[in-house]
Amino acid sequence: MPSALDAENRPVMFIGMDVRPFEQAVTEDLQHNIVMITIVFLVGLAGIISLFWSRKVIRSHRLLQDTRAFAAETIASLPMGIIIVDKRRHIRYMNDTACSLLGINISAVTDKTADEVLPEEIWHLHKIADAHGKGLEKEIVVNSENSGPTPISMMVTNIFDQAGEFLGFLFILKDLSQIRALELKIRRKERLAALGTLASGIAHEVRNPLSSIKGYAGFFGSLFEAGSDNRKAAQLMVEEIDRVDRVISELLEFARPADLQLRPTPPELLIKNSLRIIRHEAQSAGIRVKEKIDVRLPELHLDPDRFSQVLLNLYINAIQSMKHGGDLTVDVSMKRDAVLFAVSDTGEGISPEDQPAVFNPYYTTKKKGTGLGLAIVHKIVEGHNGAIWLESAPGKGTTFFVSIPLKKQQRKVP
Ligand SMILES: Nc1ncnc2c1ncn2[C@@H]1O[C@H](COP(=O)(O)OP(=O)(O)O)[C@@H](O)[C@H]1O
Ligand SMILES: [Mg+2]
C-alpha cells in the first residue's frame, strides 16, 4: 500500500506566491543604495573639490599677501622718495626716502593734508600737474633740517583708476646732490686742465723777462746808499718780482698734471721732517710747536714730497693766523681704516660763511696771499684718495683734518 511518505507517491502541493512586492523591495533597495552611493560620492567629490579650492584660496591669499608685502617693501626701500596724496589732499603714503629727503617725521604725517606737511615749493607743483594732466619733472632745492639745501628732481603725476576717475597725485623725488657734486668735480677738472695749459704758457713767457728785471732792480739798488729811498724802491721791486714768481710757481703746481710717486712712508717721519722746516719761523713768531703722534701708526702708501707740501701749506697758514703767537699742534692718529692728520692753531679762526670758500683757487684774505695754498692741498689729498675738512671757531682757532685711507690709495693727480 502506498504510503504517504513514499517519495514517489508523496503528494505535492503547489502554493502560488506573489513575488512582486519582494522584487519591488529589492529594486527599491538597489535604487536606494545607488542614490546613497551617488550622494556619498558627490559629497566626497564636493569635499575634495572644496579642499582643493580652500587650499588654492589659502595659497593665493598668501601669494597676494607676499606680493603686497614685497611691493610695499620695494617701494619703501626705493632710492627715490614716493609720496601719494589722495583727491581730498590727504597724504596716503610716504616712504622712508621721502621722509629723510624732506626731513619729515612719518608720525607727523598721519591725518594731515599735503599743504600742512609738504614744503610749499613741492606741493604747489601739483597745480601744474593738474593743468598738464601728465607727469611733470622739475628741479628744485629744498632746505631740510638734516642736510641743508638739497637739490631734488621732482616728478608729479596724476593717478587715475581703470574707469578714468581721478584718485590723487603721485610725487617722485630724487636726490641730486651726488650727481651735482660729481658734475662740479668734472667741471673743476676741466677748468684745471685749461688752466694748466695757460699757466705753463705764461710761466714760459713771463719768467725769463722777470729774472732780467729782478737782476737790473738789484743792480740799480746797489748804486744807491743803504737806507736811501731809491735803494728801498729797488728792494721793493725785487720783493714784488719774487711775489709774482711765487704766484707763477703755485699756479703751475696747482695746475700741473702729475703722477704721484707713491712709496711706503712712515707718517712719523713725514711729520718730523716737515716740522723741522718751519720750526725756526714758528719760534721767531712766538709759536709753540706740539706734536702728538700715535706710536702704532702703520706705513702709508703716499708721495712723501707732495704730501709734505700739504703739511707745510697747513703749517704756514696756521702760523700766519697767529699774529700774536700761540700753539701749533700736529696730531696723527688711527681712525678705523684711515690715518688722520690734524693741524690745529690758536689763531684768528675762519667764520662759518667763509669756511666753504677756503679751498677755492684764488680765495685769500691776506694782502700778500695767492689763495692757491689750500687749493693745492685739496688737490694732493684728493689724489691720495683722502679727504680734507676743517673745524674753526673765530677768535679761538682752526683745525684742518686730513684723512688718508690705508687701502686704494693709488691714483693719478688729475
Ligand atoms: N689756519 C687758518 N686760520 C685762519 N684762516 C685760514 C687758515 N688757513 C686758511 N685760512 C683762510 O683761507 C684762505 C686761503 O688760504 P690759502 O689757500 O692757503 O691761501 P693764502 O694763504 O695764500 O691766502 C686764507 O687767506 C685764510 O683766509
Ligand atoms: Mg696759504
Side-chain angles (χ1 to χ4, degrees):
M1 171 158 160
S3 161
L5 298 174
D6 197 353
E8 280 174 22
N9 301 315
R10 202 181 286 165
V12 176
M13 189 165 68
F14 291 96
I15 299 170
M17 271 181 68
D18 187 359
V19 293
R20 267 182 306 171
F22 176 73
E23 280 176 354
Q24 199 177 344
V26 169
T27 315
E28 268 176 20
D29 198 31
L30 197 69
Q31 278 173 350
H32 187 249
N33 278 348
I34 289 172
V35 168
M36 282 309 285
I37 287 169
T38 313
I39 288 173
V40 168
F41 177 73
L42 285 178
V43 168
L45 195 70
I48 290 170
I49 289 173
S50 60
L51 196 72
F52 266 115
W53 193 254
S54 68
R55 280 187 151 221
K56 210 173 158 190
V57 167
I58 290 172
R59 211 180 308 136
S60 34
H61 187 67
R62 204 175 293 150
L63 203 71
L64 188 69
Q65 270 183 339
D66 284 355
T67 314
R68 270 195 193 148
F70 188 70
E73 281 303 316
T74 310
I75 290 176
S77 52
L78 269 181
M80 296 173 187
I82 305 276
I83 304 169
I84 297 170
V85 177
D86 66 17
K87 59 183 170 191
R88 291 180 307 124
R89 311 288 197 249
H90 278 89
I91 296 205
R92 292 293 295 267
Y93 178 78
M94 209 165 158
N95 70 353
D96 287 352
T97 315
C99 288
S100 70
L101 263 178
L102 302 179
I104 293 172
N105 192 335
I106 191 71
S107 55
V109 168
T110 333
D111 292 334
K112 292 265 172 66
T113 53
D115 56 345
E116 288 174 299
V117 176
L118 299 179
E120 170 57 23
E121 60 267 39
I122 289 185
W123 175 234
H124 96 276
L125 287 179
H126 81 277
K127 294 179 195 153
I128 314 171
D130 260 355
H132 286 79
K134 286 197 209 129
L136 171 101
E137 197 162 0
K138 207 162 178 250
E139 197 179 317
I140 56 165
V141 175
V142 289
N143 276 303
S144 81
E145 278 174 24
N146 304 346
S147 47
T150 315
I152 286 180
S153 152
M154 281 281 318
M155 167 108 175
V156 194
T157 180
N158 293 336
I159 316 170
F160 298 97
D161 67 7
Q162 283 179 340
E165 198 190 326
F166 174 68
L167 295 179
F169 303 100
L170 168 68
F171 291 79
I172 301 172
L173 291 76
K174 211 160 90 190
D175 186 353
L176 296 178
S177 25
Q178 276 188 345
I179 297 174
R180 291 288 167 271
L182 209 68
E183 283 172 358
L184 201 73
K185 225 170 163 178
I186 293 169
R187 274 207 300 277
R188 251 191 83 209
K189 274 188 185 163
E190 285 171 355
R191 271 209 314 267
L192 270 183
L195 198 67
T197 320
L198 192 74
S200 48
I202 291 177
H204 182 73
E205 294 297 328
V206 172
R207 268 195 163 152
N208 288 348
L210 264 189
S211 68
S212 321
I213 296 171
K214 189 179 168 184
Y216 282 120
F219 169 69
F220 284 122
S222 69
L223 297 180
F224 299 103
E225 261 178 52
S228 68
D229 282 353
N230 287 343
R231 179 82 168 250
K232 278 186 196 156
Q235 268 167 0
L236 198 68
M237 274 176 81
V238 172
E239 277 171 29
E240 288 300 297
I241 290 165
D242 282 343
R243 197 167 102 82
V244 173
D245 195 50
R246 206 171 58 242
V247 172
I248 292 176
S249 305
E250 288 199 359
L251 178 62
L252 275 179
E253 178 59 44
F254 176 58
R256 161 166 79 117
D259 287 340
L260 293 175
Q261 306 294 321
L262 300 174
R263 290 204 291 276
T265 316
E268 198 181 339
L269 197 73
L270 273 175
I271 302 295
K272 298 266 182 232
N273 288 346
S274 57
L275 280 180
R276 196 174 303 136
I277 299 172
I278 54 101
R279 206 175 286 273
H280 178 69
E281 194 184 333
Q283 267 164 6
S284 49
I287 292 165
R288 281 179 299 271
V289 178
K290 301 176 180 174
E291 51 189 272
K292 291 185 205 158
I293 303 173
D294 189 336
V295 283
R296 299 161 303 143
L297 290 177
E299 283 195 332
L300 282 173
H301 211 57
L302 44 74
D303 184 326
D305 289 339
R306 306 206 71 190
F307 200 76
S308 295
Q309 211 179 343
V310 167
L311 295 171
L312 282 172
N313 282 354
L314 295 179
Y315 300 160
I316 291 167
N317 280 345
I319 292 171
Q320 288 172 347
S321 80
M322 295 184 278
K323 305 237 164 42
H324 310 292
D327 292 340
L328 165 64
T329 314
V330 186
D331 186 322
V332 194
S333 57
M334 269 305 289
K335 283 282 170 312
R336 271 183 253 131
D337 48 359
V339 170
L340 185 69
F341 297 79
V343 177
S344 314
D345 61 60
T346 53
E348 60 198 14
I350 308 170
S351 70
E353 306 85 65
D354 291 339
Q355 287 177 19
V358 295
F359 296 106
N360 291 347
Y362 300 113
Y363 172 81
T364 181
T365 52
K366 297 169 195 167
K367 227 169 131 196
K368 294 197 169 178
T370 62
L372 284 172
L374 286 179
I376 293 171
V377 166
H378 187 267
K379 190 179 140 186
I380 298 175
V381 171
E382 239 190 8
H384 283 88
N385 268 340
I388 180 162
W389 66 98
L390 69 106
E391 280 171 13
S392 186
K396 290 192 176 153
T398 308
T399 302
F400 278 88
F401 296 95
V402 174
S403 147
I404 298 291
L406 292 177
K407 291 174 217 137
K408 286 201 280 177
Q409 288 178 49
Q410 271 114 332
R411 223 173 70 177
K412 277 185 174 182
V413 171

